[in-house]
Amino acid sequence: MKSSVLILAAIAVILIAGGAFAFVFMDDIADIADGGNSGTFHKVADKVDQVTSSGGSSSDGGSDIVSEVVKFNYQNGEGYFREVTYKDGGFRQFDNASGELIGSSYDEDQEKLGVIDGNLE
């Protein structure tokens, strides 16, 4: 009896993990396959281009992307964001749904980010 419950639990975990993977990546894969320009991937890529061309992140214009990773937004408690890491060690974080800049290690980006009201005391 215990082994059948354990097997069912393992199958449920696999199905949930597979569903989460599909949810995050299928939209981007479909847009790339269609050659479309309306998907999340393209929104984020456009935002990255806008930010790097409007001020640059490093002395070489900030266009040297080392990696792009999609991560769960634990701070918000839901959703995902794309973290782009550059050759100079800096990073930018973009909302995966809207492509909006939501975080950055660069001083010049701080004015583009929202300001939180309230005291930190």
Side-chain angles (χ1 to χ4, degrees):
M1 179 69 176
K2 288 183 182 180
S3 64
S4 64
V5 171
L6 187 59
I7 291 171
L8 288 175
I11 291 171
V13 168
I14 291 169
L15 288 174
I16 291 171
F21 175 83
F23 179 76
V24 173
F25 295 105
M26 289 308 290
D27 183 48
D28 291 341
I29 292 169
D31 285 335
I32 291 169
D34 289 340
N37 217 9
S38 61
T40 302
F41 176 80
H42 298 290
K43 289 178 188 175
V44 171
D46 290 343
K47 288 288 184 179
V48 170
D49 288 341
Q50 288 173 1
V51 171
T52 57
S53 65
S54 68
S57 62
S58 65
S59 59
D60 63 357
S63 59
D64 292 325
I65 296 173
V66 175
S67 69
E68 293 184 43
V69 180
V70 176
K71 297 181 178 182
F72 181 74
N73 192 342
Y74 287 102
Q75 184 174 3
N76 195 34
E78 64 182 2
Y80 293 85
F81 65 92
R82 184 175 304 273
E83 185 171 85
V84 180
T85 306
Y86 298 93
K87 184 173 147 181
D88 65 357
F91 67 90
R92 289 189 174 101
Q93 298 168 331
F94 299 90
D95 181 85
N96 207 36
S98 68
E100 251 184 87
L101 181 68
I102 59 171
S104 175
S105 64
Y106 297 106
D107 291 337
E108 62 266 19
D109 290 342
Q110 299 310 306
E111 65 189 33
K112 299 172 189 166
L113 301 170
V115 177
I116 299 174
D117 293 332
N119 295 327
L120 298 176
E121 300 177 61

